[in-house]
Amino acid sequence: MPNARNLRQRSRRCAAAEASVKPYQEGAPGACLDAMAGFISEVRSSANGLIIRAAIIAAIGGLLFGYDTGVISGALLFIKKDLHADATAQEWIVSVLLLGAIVGALISGYLADKISRKWTKVISGCVYFIAAIGCALSFSVPMLIGFRFLLGVSVGTASFVSPLYISEVAPPRVRGGLVSFNQLAITSGILIAYLVNFAFQGLPGNWRWMLGIAALPGAALAIGMLTVPHTPRWLAQVGREDDARKVLEKLREGDEKADVDGELKEIREANEREAGSKVRDLFGPKVRPLILIGLGLAVAQQFVGVNTVIYYAPTILSDTGLSASSSIGQTVFVGVTNVVFTIVAVLLLDRVGRRALLLIGTIGLTVSLAVLGIYFAVPTLQHTAGWLALICLIVYIAAFAIGLGPVFWLMISEIFPSGLRSKAMSVSTMTNWAANFVVAGSFLTLNMLITRQGTFFVYTAIGVASFLFFMFRVPETKGRSLEQIQTELVGENSGK
Ligand code: BGC
């Protein structure tokens, strides 16, 4: 059984093998910029137009996810007046999406294996299109709640089939960056939503436009996915070896370092080891430690309170004494920081590695949570240093964006054996949405019970615990093929 020490040893072997082929030198001046430039030149030499197009189209799933996370708080201000929604109805309108996402993540684990990653994403785009129009045309609270649930099913599906699809078409050397296009799309979706909220507030029927406009990327996802291939790994898994070869040859066209025969052999061997895997194998002795990593990352990603910052940033800022409109303006600044630092992560993940960014990011966000707690605990600070809260929120979101944000979605697309990958990702994603639901629903209550500073200190403690968990359990995966990772982490003979 791969216990913590084995995982660490294996991850060190991964890192050592990697160090021998990477020119990146830690600590050298300008190393970060070199690493970013290195990633771009690696993409140029290994990822052709088809891969980039496939990654961008698949990442539209992330855009839908992010847009919805960001849009609802703005739209709600108008919905409550128009549809006469009381506090309970408003809570349902917001949180039913998270429940839908839990259901979506559950069923799409099955669909992604059964009907393919590609068709699951086409269906997710169609459902999103219908649900977005349904939300925009809703004339009553129950109707809106129903369509928000459907929207959630689509968002939950897209949230993990996007990284799954990209990880299975990307060349190993740039997989981290390409899979994290999805996180970049999530953060861009949140930012676009903030801007749409701002731009549409004066329009008649504003909330209907805010919710309805999302039908466009939904349609783009469904139509776009029809133009890209199935993943070679899924094709091989269902016995379509010839098609898998054809697709892989197209995906690796122009990459001088590619070894299509070698990759196919690895995929075949991994599939043979994994043939007939069942859901119960997820909890078998070999895969259990990996499931624990997936679930640990899923819970940590939400329990450090990221969505309280996304949902409640204007409230947190207005409590520092800012006017409502400056709070909303400064929230846009938080959204921009999220996008910018996700771009930094995309450029660094394949050079610096997942672990280093995860650990540095977790330290940054934990420190900013602690300072935020102190800020709310010390009244003089609130009178004299109102800017401190904004700085903390910015540092927090930047640290989340270079670490835990992208690394959770990336790692769960990499660490699981192929026969169990979609099921294990589906369980991890469901857990992430469930944790999101718990945090979103408890923030205001926690504030009342243990004060605002108490709440931030609880998140700080979770940040410390998460850091220790990552330090001792999370392996490095950069630069390895999915099959090599599988062999390193699960062993040669079986994935069960
Ligand atoms: C998380 C979301 C969060 C977003 C913020 C994602 O990785 O899963 O819950 O809203 O990052 O950027």
Side-chain angles (χ1 to χ4, degrees), residues 65-66 69 183 186-187 190 301-302 306-307 310-311 338 342 397 400-401 404-406 408-409 432-433 436:
F65 168 1
T69 304
Q183 176 70 15
I186 297 176
T187 55
I190 296 174
Q301 202 211 34
Q302 295 300 325
V306 62
N307 285 308
I310 309 267
Y311 298 144
N338 199 4
T342 306
I397 206 71
F400 180 86
L404 204 39
F408 162 65
W409 296 106
N432 185 269
W433 284 108
N436 189 340

Side-chain angles (χ1 to χ4, degrees), residues 96-97 100 127-128 130-131 145-155:
V96 75
L97 180 123
V127 172
Y128 197 94
I130 295 168
I145 290 178
F147 278 114
R148 293 265 307 155
F149 179 80
L150 198 61
L151 204 62
V153 173
S154 159
V155 169

Side-chain angles (χ1 to χ4, degrees), residues 309-433:
V309 170
I310 309 267
Y311 298 144
Y312 297 107
T315 316
I316 297 171
L317 288 170
S318 68
D319 285 359
T320 69
L322 283 182
S323 70
S325 73
S326 348
S327 309
I328 292 173
Q330 299 203 349
T331 304
V332 172
F333 202 49
V334 173
V336 172
T337 308
N338 199 4
V339 173
V340 169
F341 279 84
T342 306
I343 296 175
V344 174
V346 165
L347 297 174
L348 288 182
L349 277 162
D350 288 302
R351 314 294 285 185
V352 178
R354 285 68 161 146
R355 255 177 75 83
L357 289 177
L358 180 65
L359 294 173
I360 294 170
T362 310
I363 294 176
L365 69 84
T366 306
V367 170
S368 52
L369 283 168
V371 177
L372 212 47
I374 295 170
Y375 171 86
F376 281 110
V378 181
T380 39
L381 274 180
Q382 288 165 57
H383 297 136
T384 55
W387 46 268
L388 190 58
L390 179 64
I391 300 224
C392 287
L393 290 183
I394 300 278
V395 172
Y396 173 91
I397 206 71
F400 180 86
I402 58 155
L404 204 39
V407 172
F408 162 65
W409 296 106
L410 174 57
M411 279 270 169
I412 62 164
S413 74
E414 296 184 321
I415 58 173
F416 299 119
S418 53
L420 290 168
R421 186 171 301 135
S422 57
K423 294 182 192 82
M425 280 186 81
S426 138
V427 172
S428 311
T429 306
M430 258 175 60
T431 308
N432 185 269
W433 284 108

